[in-house]
Amino acid sequence: MTAPIPAEWAPHRAMWVGWPSHAEYWFEALEQAQDEVEGLVRALAGPGREQVRLMIGKADILAEVQARFAGVENVEVVAGTFGDIWLRDTGPIFGAGSKTAAAFRFNGWGGKYDMPGDDQVAGQIGDHSGTPLTWNDFVMEGGSLDHDGEGTVLTT
């Protein structure tokens, strides 16, 4: 990727957010998690003016979530496949103005939380956004990198 990576706090062309879709992972906290993510999405799309792509991980709740966000500007509800909502770790990294995005292999945080579909998130985001991916043949979690938009990267 030759384009600089925007700062974490800079406006983005779109912000991808995972919807808590799996009752079997959230148990009694599912409704609370959904309310929290809804608040985040509404803040990003409203006052934040971000274009939000809200990925839903289970087809049987897609219509319910579409209805929940009906009429909310800047929010697009997208069907997908994932286990964990932390798309920051599983999705690709876009450069500023880049026509491609960098993608990496994902191994469920070292095998601790290997959830079906998490290794497919980057490809789904690339396909939906029409952005070709440059696949890197090593394991990485995108959330382990923090960018300042000027070429400095902090990592764990």
Side-chain angles (χ1 to χ4, degrees), residues 49-126:
R49 294 289 174 230
E50 291 277 355
Q51 296 294 318
V52 178
R53 306 293 179 261
L54 182 60
M55 187 178 280
I56 312 305
K58 284 200 165 187
D60 60 339
I61 64 166
L62 183 63
E64 170 192 327
V65 180
Q66 286 171 326
R68 191 170 183 156
F69 288 94
V72 179
E73 283 189 54
N74 301 325
V75 176
E76 179 184 359
V77 177
V78 177
T81 301
F82 64 86
D84 194 281
I85 67 170
W86 200 247
L87 305 184
R88 180 72 172 86
D89 278 353
T90 56
I93 298 175
F94 292 83
S98 179
K99 297 192 182 345
T100 65
F104 308 88
R105 290 189 296 128
F106 182 74
N107 69 355
W109 298 278
K112 284 173 52 176
Y113 303 104
D114 194 12
M115 298 177 172
D118 283 349
D119 61 345
Q120 301 169 33
V121 170
Q124 293 172 75
I125 290 174

